[in-house]
Structure formats: structure tokens, C-alpha cells
Amino acid sequence: MGEYAVEVHDLHKDFGEVYAVKGVSFNVQRGEIFSLLGPNGAGKSTTISMLACLQRPSQGDALVMGHSVTAVPQQAKAALGIVPQEIALYDDLSARENLDFWGKMYGLRGAALQKQVDDVLELIGLTDRQKGRIGKFSGGMKRRVNIGAALLHKPDIIIMDEPTVGIDPQSRRHILDGVKALNQQGMTVLYTTHYMEEAQELSDHIAIMDQGEIIALGTHGELVRIVGEQDRIDLRINAPSELVMAHWQEVPGVSQVTADDGLISLLADDSNVVLPRLFEVATAVNVRITSVEIQEPNLETVFLHLTGRALRD
Amino acid sequence: MKLFDIAFKDMRQSLRSLSGIMFMFVVPVLVTVLFYFMFGGASADDEDSFALPRTDVLLVNLDAGTLPENADLSSEFSAGQSAALGSVTSMGELLAQILQQDAFADLLAVREVDDATAARTAVDNQEASVAIIIPSNFTDALLITQETAVIELYQDPTLTIGPAIVESLIKQFADSFVSTKIGTGVVIEQLVKSGAAINGALVEEIVRKFTAVAMESAQTTGALINVQPPPGANSEAGLIGEILGQILGGMMTFFAFFTGSAILQSILIEEEQGTLARLFTTPTQIRTIIGGKVTATFLMLFVQVTTLLLFGRLVFKINWGTALPIILAVGGIIVMSVATGLLLVSLMKNTRQAGVVYGGVLTLTGMIGMITIFTGGGANTSPMVRTVSLFVPQGWAVRGLQTAMNGGTAADILPTLAGLLVWVVIFAAIGQYRLQRRFA
Ligand SMILES: Nc1ncnc2c1ncn2[C@@H]1O[C@H](COP(=O)(O)OP(=O)(O)OP(=O)(O)O)[C@@H](O)[C@H]1O
Ligand SMILES: [Mg+2]
């Protein structure tokens, strides 16, 4: 068995005309948290469903704890806990009945199963509500059970596909802390998200995905250094953005001017130097700047730098 | 075993679904009760909560014969019986009196008329349900060997229950006399062979004795209305049980197919809710998942059918037949329902499509299959109708049940079961193959 928990070699997946994943390769080290960060439609879920042996790669292969997902899927599956992006539970069964069932599907039985169910209920903070039907749970509670169901068999690797989508901040905090706790117990985590804060907070390594490809991979520090020391400046003006964009592009030290729904974003080598020039240019064409925000380099900036598009929704 | 884990999970879900319970247990019983009331059973006695509708009978007694020896037969009867019968002068009159006994007053409203043609017209005009026309040679035919007589039953073809009761009563009556006649003939023959002198008085005496015995049995068995062979059936409940049994049995079969399809439809529901994909991320084989769902369907159908059979037995006093035939018949219903469900679910794209198609297909084929039930069931059904019902799986399923209820033996059911298994094998093979391929 190699040193990696997951090895992905040149995975491809096409759905007829649609190329969802176009040659993705990365390695997840044992015991780390690895994030796939990318916007909607980047191909994160498709990549994960190939690792989970749900979809056959059109090309390429992946090893999970050394087991090929194409050659020996049953072994690969047993090493994995999968938290699907959409909640996949039985609404008409209670939280405990759900966990009980999913535990059995991983081959647990009897006292060992009951202990695991108790432990997982404790971990997801739903011991008190274990008899409640899932259908009556809040979105956050469902998400927690959705995660719990993947933990019962104490997998070597847990794969979580956007586990915090559409939930309240409190549940989200609970989940992020839970992920870190699991990781500290030695579980390898493969995490997907389109929130750069989550990737930044959790991950040892991050792969940024866009349009079916990994466009950058490294630690948070390594990725941020791609854009150098550039700041991102977000501005709003009282006129159509086209009036100033071309002019601002000409300003020395400015790169990547983009506009999205009235918000103009640009990358600047040094905002202290660039900002006064932006105001001058605006005044020259009779446009007022109504708001300015300066952001230190982060993953958002990296994505903008690499794709010319914003990462957020 | 994961297969049973999946099966029990599915059963638990079905038992928690209100609509599932409704279709499995409540609707079949409700429909049975509804049909029962439609047949006019609403006039319930206090004594017996399930009384039959009264049948209007026109009796045309053309019997011209007379009983031997002035026929005061009352001496041969117990006091109560002779009081009920009074004195009769012909067999036609005797039959008329039997039909008009108080014991049948709840079942039959008998009116005697003189003209056979008028009686038939009355039935045609639906003024009466059935006309009984006793031929002029009725007494002679019963008492003199070599002669035959035919009682004509002229009935409203849209009705089944009333005429069936009348027919059954007359059959009993006739049967007891036919055996008398044979007995009489044999006795006379033996006397001749032994060379004894035969005079008219002796023959008449023999005939008189046999007739008296036969009448007694006609009277008692007639009161029993033991229409069909099933043992243990007694009193009015036997006949009511048979009619309700036909309906409840039909409803049970009809809705068993819905149960089978509904539970197997969980494959589509799970596919749409993502739990099927999640199952595939666990180390569980596709055939285990399908096998679990098939097992759940078997078990739920078993629960459904047993409950309905028991309910019918305890509440409606339905006689379902003897153990082995009914087990075979019910087994046939169950496997056919499962196989049909498997085939249907394998042909559906999603639950929306399934909702529409299941409702339409299962209702239509179910009604075709149940056609023998609603045309009177059992022996009265025309061969054409029987054949039509065998174009659908439900027809085969219900046929086995009817055979069992009509007193058939295991051997009588086997041909039906064999035909049914052909369907099962084809349906299950296609269903299994398509599902395996779809989720592979
Ligand atoms: N079964 C499928 N058939 C056709 N196209 C598909 C299928 N599954 C995914 N796609 C397409 O593949 C691309 C990648 O989808 P995928 O779900 O992997 O993205 P994602 O990164 O998980 O996005 P999100 O953040 O919205 O979950 C999308 O364009 C999607 O429309
Ligand atoms: Mg996704």
C-alpha cells in the first residue's frame, strides 16, 4: 500500500457532449484534509462519484487505500465513507433507524453496531433527537445525520461533498469542528466546497477546480503566492461599469478588471499607489465611486487571477 | 444478512405509509362491504348482521300428477315437519311448499302464478328475478322410472345471487328424489328377480316409504342451503360467505398487485431521493438490493393476504376452502404480484411515470382479471369470459383462488399454478435483467 490514501490518475468523465471532468490528477496524503475548491459545475461531484465507484471513469483510474476503483470497487467502497451532496436518508425512519440501517450496509451487526450508532449520535449532537423522524428535522440536523451515516464503519477516508450547503451558521460551525475532530482522530478527509473560507480553514492541501480541470494545487500559502502580493479591490460606481473599465485597465499596476452585476473587481500590485489613480480617472470621465473595498490576497483572488472570473455564486 | 436488513427496512417504511396501509387492508375490505350493500344486503337483521337480499320468485306449478295412496305423508314426518308441510297432493306442490316455508321467507318472496309465458315475461321485464316452471310430468317423473322431467329456471341474466339460491334449493330437492327413484327402481327389480309376486299395492308402498325418507332429507338439507362443497359451511353464513368470499378474494387479488408494484416502486423512489446511489457507495451488491426489495414485497404480500383471509373468515365467515389448495392459490397470487411489480418497475423511468402507468395498467388489467368474479364467479361464468380473464396475470391469480374456494383440490389448482408460473418466470426474468443492467 502506497503512502497516499487516495491517488487519482488522469480521471476523465464525459456525459455524451458534456465533458464534466477532463483529466484530473491529485494525491491525498494519509491523515490530511484535502479540499477540492471550485464553483458550481466545476466537476467536483463527478470526480467524487468516480472515487465512490458510482460512476465509471471514461478514462483514467483512482486508488483508494491502494484499491483500484475500476478493478476492485467493493474493496475501495469498504475503505470509504461517502457524504453525498444531496441529503440521502429515509425521511420516514428515525435518525437512529437510519444510522442503524446504514451501519448494517457496511456490515456492522449487533452490539458493535449499537455502540457505533451511539457514538455517532453523540458526535453529531443528536442523541436527544435520535427517535425523531428525519422528515421532521431541520436542514442542519439532516445534514448532520447525513454525515453521521458515513462514519459508522470508521472508514479510513471520509469524502464529503459540500456538506455545509444551505444551512445555518451554527450547524455549519458544528460540522466544520466535527471534520477537524475526525481528522485529529486520524481520519483522512477529502472535502469539496465552493466556500474559500472553508477550504482555507480546514485544509492541508487545496486543489482549485474549474470546468473539469484542476487549475492550481498546493497548500493555502502556496496558492496565495501565485498571485504574488496583489490586493483585490472591489468598487461600485454611480454609472454603467463600461464607462471606466477600459480606462482603469490602462492604469499602471492594475491587472484583471472584471465586472459582475455592478461590482467591479481588479487586482492591484499595491492598492496605496493604484487607488488615487482610479479616482482621478473616474473624475475625468465624470463618474463617482460610491464604494471601495480592499482585500488582502486569498483564494478568491487566486481564482480570479487564474480564471478571470469570481469564485463566489 | 443485508438482504433481510433491506427487506425489513422497506417493510417498516410501507407499514408507516398511510396510503400503503389503505391500499393493502382498508380498501379491499371497504370495496367488499360496498359491493355487498350494492347487492342489496343493507337490510340487515339484528340477529345476523349480514342478511341476503330477498329474491322475487314466480312459481308456475304445472304438475298434473298425484302422489300414490292419497298421499298423506305427514305420518312419516315428525310433528313439526308435517305441520310445516301440511298435506300435499303432488311433488310439484311439495316443492312449492318447501320453497314457501318460513325458513326461506327472508331469502325468497315466492308468488304462485298459472301461466308460464306470463312468468317469463315478468322476469324479462325485471318484475321478478327468477321464474320456476314445474313441468306437468314432475310427480310421474320422480315416482315412475324411465320418465324424466325438467324444471325450468328462467332467470334475469343480470342477477347472480338470487337465482343461484333458487337453483341450489331445487337441486337439493331434485337430487334427493333422483336417488329415491334409483333406489325404488332397484328394489323393484330385485323383487322381480327373486320371483315374488308384484302387485300395485306393494310397489306403491315401497315408493311411498322411499319418498317419505327422501322428503325428510330434502326438507332438512334444503333448510341448510349448503350450496357449495366446502366442508364446515353451515347455515346462511355459508352462502353469504361464498358471495362475499368471491368479492373479497377478487379485491384481495386486485390490490395485491398494487401492493407488489407499490413496494417495488421504492427502487424508483430511492433512486430519486439519492438513497439508492448511497446504497451503491456501500459495499452492497445490486442483486442484494433488488433481492431485499423483492423479499420485502413477498413478506408484505404475505401479511396482506393472510390478514384479509383471516378477516374474511372471522368477520364475514368466508370459507376459503381447505388448507393446501388455499395455500397454493395464495402463493400463486403472491408470486404473480411480485413478478408483475418487478416487471413494471423495470419499465418505468421515474415515479411520476410510474404513478400514472401503475394506476392505469393495474386497474385495467385488474378489472379484466376480475371479470369472472363480477359475472357471478364459479361455475356460472361463460367460457369466453374465462378466456378473456386469462389474458392478464390477475386472471390467473384469481383463478387459483376461485378453484380453492369452489372446493377444488391441490391437483385442481396445479394446472392454473403452472400457467401462472410461466408468466412469473418471464416477468421476473425481464424485470431482473432490466434492473441489473440499469444500475450496473
Ligand atoms: N449525469 C450527468 N449527465 C450530464 N451532465 C452531467 C451529469 N452530471 C454532471 N453533469 C455536468 O457535469 C458538470 C460538472 O458537474 P458536477 O456536479 O460534477 O459539478 P460540481 O462541481 O459538483 O458543482 P456543484 O457545486 O454545483 O455541485 C456540470 O456541467 C454538470 O451539468
Ligand atoms: Mg457537486
Side-chain angles (χ1 to χ4, degrees):
Chain A
M1 215 178 273
E3 62 176 306
Y4 296 113
V6 181
E7 292 174 55
V8 178
H9 301 298
D10 196 31
L11 277 186
H12 288 255
K13 183 71 190 178
D14 62 87
F15 302 102
E17 294 288 279
V18 184
Y19 283 83
V21 175
K22 315 173 206 168
V24 162
S25 300
F26 59 89
N27 295 325
V28 179
Q29 282 166 23
R30 291 182 183 218
E32 76 164 333
I33 302 182
F34 186 103
S35 288
L36 284 175
L37 173 68
N40 295 127
K44 306 183 294 293
S45 295
T46 307
T47 304
I48 281 187
S49 68
M50 287 186 281
L51 295 179
C53 316
L54 277 180
Q55 291 180 344
R56 259 193 103 75
S58 315
Q59 191 186 316
D61 196 3
L63 302 182
V64 173
M65 298 307 282
H67 307 296
S68 157
V69 296
T70 54
V72 283
Q74 297 298 330
Q75 272 111 305
K77 283 178 189 180
L80 287 175
I82 307 281
V83 180
Q85 179 169 352
E86 307 295 335
I87 289 161
L89 298 168
Y90 300 104
D91 275 353
D92 39 9
L93 301 183
S94 71
R96 189 176 187 98
E97 286 165 345
N98 265 283
L99 293 176
D100 198 78
F101 176 74
W102 292 111
K104 285 174 178 162
M105 290 305 105
Y106 281 102
L108 296 176
R109 284 288 176 285
L113 172 64
Q114 293 317 313
K115 181 177 182 315
Q116 275 305 104
V117 171
D118 287 335
D119 288 355
V120 165
L121 280 166
E122 188 74 40
L123 180 80
I124 61 177
L126 288 174
T127 307
D128 295 344
R129 304 292 304 272
Q130 56 176 290
K131 295 215 172 84
R133 298 241 176 125
I134 292 290
K136 299 225 180 329
F137 278 13
S138 72
M141 288 159 72
K142 286 184 193 177
R143 286 254 162 230
R144 284 190 259 164
V145 181
N146 199 40
I147 294 170
L151 298 173
L152 293 152
H153 60 301
K154 295 188 184 161
D156 297 313
I157 305 162
I158 181 154
I159 299 185
M160 303 174 127
D161 195 1
E162 306 208 29
T164 59
V165 163
I167 59 171
D168 57 287
Q170 200 188 334
S171 289
R172 181 176 183 175
R173 189 72 258 152
H174 197 284
I175 289 172
L176 293 179
D177 291 343
V179 171
K180 285 192 240 175
L182 287 169
N183 179 244
Q184 263 145 35
Q185 291 164 26
M187 206 177 273
T188 306
V189 181
L190 176 51
Y191 192 96
T192 87
T193 181
H194 62 262
Y195 298 118
M196 63 124 196
E197 308 86 2
E198 289 186 0
Q200 179 172 348
E201 175 181 341
L202 294 173
S203 321
D204 298 303
H205 287 94
I206 301 165
I208 301 181
M209 262 193 103
D210 187 44
Q211 299 183 346
E213 288 171 309
I214 289 182
I215 55 174
L217 195 161
T219 62
H220 180 256
E222 287 165 356
L223 290 173
V224 168
R225 249 172 272 140
I226 294 173
V227 286
E229 296 300 300
Q230 282 186 313
D231 293 333
R232 197 177 98 200
I233 306 175
D234 291 337
L235 306 106
R236 285 185 188 277
I237 59 175
N238 70 343
S241 30
E242 299 81 57
L243 285 180
V244 292
M245 280 175 66
H247 299 293
W248 281 350
Q249 188 78 63
E250 304 296 311
V251 173
V254 169
S255 57
Q256 293 280 13
V257 183
T258 61
D260 183 17
D261 200 19
L263 183 71
I264 306 171
S265 299
L266 48 81
L267 296 176
D269 293 340
D270 183 347
S271 50
N272 276 2
V273 176
V274 166
L275 263 180
R277 297 280 299 129
L278 296 180
F279 278 88
E280 278 170 34
V281 170
T283 311
V285 293
N286 258 333
V287 167
R288 283 189 73 79
I289 294 173
T290 53
S291 84
V292 179
E293 197 178 332
I294 303 165
Q295 291 194 344
E296 295 279 286
N298 58 22
L299 295 171
E300 190 82 51
T301 333
V302 177
F303 191 81
L304 184 71
H305 174 80
L306 293 172
T307 67
R309 284 175 288 113
L311 174 62
R312 58 178 178 262
D313 295 327
Chain B
M1 276 255 291
K2 282 192 201 175
L3 186 134
F4 286 107
D5 296 330
I6 293 169
F8 291 142
K9 187 269 296 170
D10 276 6
M11 288 176 74
R12 184 176 266 165
Q13 285 181 292
S14 318
L15 288 170
R16 280 187 189 165
S17 129
L18 187 65
S19 65
I21 296 295
M22 291 295 289
F23 272 96
M24 285 180 67
F25 305 108
V26 182
V27 177
V29 169
L30 273 184
V31 174
T32 305
V33 172
L34 266 178
F35 267 102
Y36 170 70
F37 284 123
M38 267 168 58
F39 280 125
S43 58
D45 264 4
D46 287 343
E47 300 251 319
D48 197 340
S49 54
F50 289 100
L52 278 169
R54 250 159 76 117
T55 308
D56 287 318
V57 179
L58 291 179
L59 183 68
V60 187
N61 184 4
L62 303 175
D63 192 359
T66 47
L67 286 169
E69 242 197 31
N70 244 356
D72 180 14
L73 297 168
S74 52
S75 63
E76 303 293 332
F77 289 88
S78 65
Q81 285 167 330
S82 43
L85 284 173
S87 62
V88 291
T89 56
S90 71
M91 294 309 255
E93 202 175 320
L94 179 63
L95 176 58
Q97 289 218 4
I98 287 176
L99 290 175
Q100 292 179 70
Q101 278 179 93
D102 287 347
F104 300 144
D106 286 343
L107 291 171
L108 308 176
V110 182
R111 198 150 49 88
E112 286 202 54
V113 293
D114 296 332
D115 183 4
T117 321
R120 291 190 195 98
T121 314
V123 172
D124 287 340
N125 297 339
Q126 305 198 322
E127 290 156 18
S129 310
V130 56
I132 305 170
I133 297 150
I134 302 172
S136 58
N137 65 345
F138 189 53
T139 301
D140 293 346
L142 283 174
L143 297 184
I144 301 168
T145 45
Q146 271 103 41
E147 190 150 352
T148 54
V150 178
I151 298 180
E152 181 186 348
L153 276 186
Y154 191 78
Q155 70 177 68
D156 181 340
T158 60
L159 298 175
T160 53
I161 297 174
I165 295 170
V166 173
E167 187 184 342
S168 134
L169 285 173
I170 292 177
K171 257 192 198 143
Q172 302 250 349
F173 180 85
D175 283 353
S176 38
F177 279 100
V178 168
S179 55
T180 308
K181 199 169 104 172
I182 294 166
T184 316
V186 171
V187 170
I188 293 167
E189 220 167 86
Q190 280 177 342
L191 286 174
V192 173
K193 276 186 186 155
S194 64
I198 302 170
N199 59 42
L202 180 59
V203 172
E204 279 190 3
E205 173 62 17
I206 294 165
V207 170
R208 197 179 64 81
K209 289 258 185 214
F210 269 97
T211 311
V213 173
M215 263 191 296
E216 195 166 7
S217 79
Q219 220 255 340
T220 42
T221 52
L224 280 173
I225 329 177
N226 194 356
V227 182
Q228 296 289 343
N234 61 355
S235 81
E236 217 171 297
L239 184 55
I240 295 164
E242 198 222 344
I243 294 153
L244 286 180
Q246 288 282 341
I247 298 169
L248 184 56
M251 286 302 121
M252 183 176 84
T253 312
F254 186 84
F255 285 104
F257 280 73
F258 280 90
T259 305
S261 300
I263 299 179
L264 284 164
Q265 200 196 336
S266 68
I267 296 175
L268 297 178
I269 296 173
E270 291 214 36
E271 187 182 26
E272 285 165 21
Q273 294 187 339
T275 46
L276 189 66
R278 186 169 206 156
L279 273 170
F280 291 148
T281 68
T282 69
T284 309
Q285 306 273 5
I286 299 167
R287 68 182 117 86
T288 310
I289 297 169
I290 297 173
K293 292 188 173 297
V294 166
T295 308
T297 315
F298 264 110
L299 294 175
M300 284 308 290
L301 278 165
F302 181 77
V303 171
Q304 175 184 18
V305 168
T306 337
T307 308
L308 288 176
L309 288 177
L310 273 177
F311 180 85
R313 177 74 213 148
L314 297 177
V315 177
F316 295 138
K317 306 205 168 49
I318 295 168
N319 191 316
W320 297 108
T322 44
L324 185 60
I326 194 68
I327 288 170
L328 287 176
V330 160
I333 293 174
I334 293 178
V335 289
M336 193 70 245
S337 304
V338 173
T340 306
L342 200 62
L343 175 75
L344 283 181
V345 75
S346 80
L347 297 172
M348 295 300 119
K349 281 198 178 65
N350 51 42
T351 51
R352 217 156 38 114
Q353 192 188 34
V356 179
V357 173
Y358 284 16
V361 168
L362 287 178
T363 307
L364 191 70
T365 54
M367 277 160 57
I368 295 172
M370 297 310 125
I371 202 164
T372 54
I373 298 250
F374 295 106
T375 52
N380 306 345
T381 312
S382 78
M384 215 272 282
V385 164
R386 279 171 182 279
T387 311
V388 166
S389 76
L390 295 181
F391 281 109
V392 294
Q394 287 94 331
W396 288 86
V398 85
R399 190 161 110 144
L401 188 68
Q402 283 179 324
T403 310
M405 288 177 68
N406 290 339
T409 62
D412 296 332
I413 292 181
L414 284 181
T416 304
L417 221 51
L420 185 142
L421 282 180
V422 174
W423 288 78
V424 168
V425 168
I426 295 172
F427 278 17
I430 298 175
Q432 166 81 5
Y433 171 76
R434 288 184 57 96
L435 288 175
Q436 286 270 7
R437 212 182 47 165
R438 171 169 177 171
F439 297 119

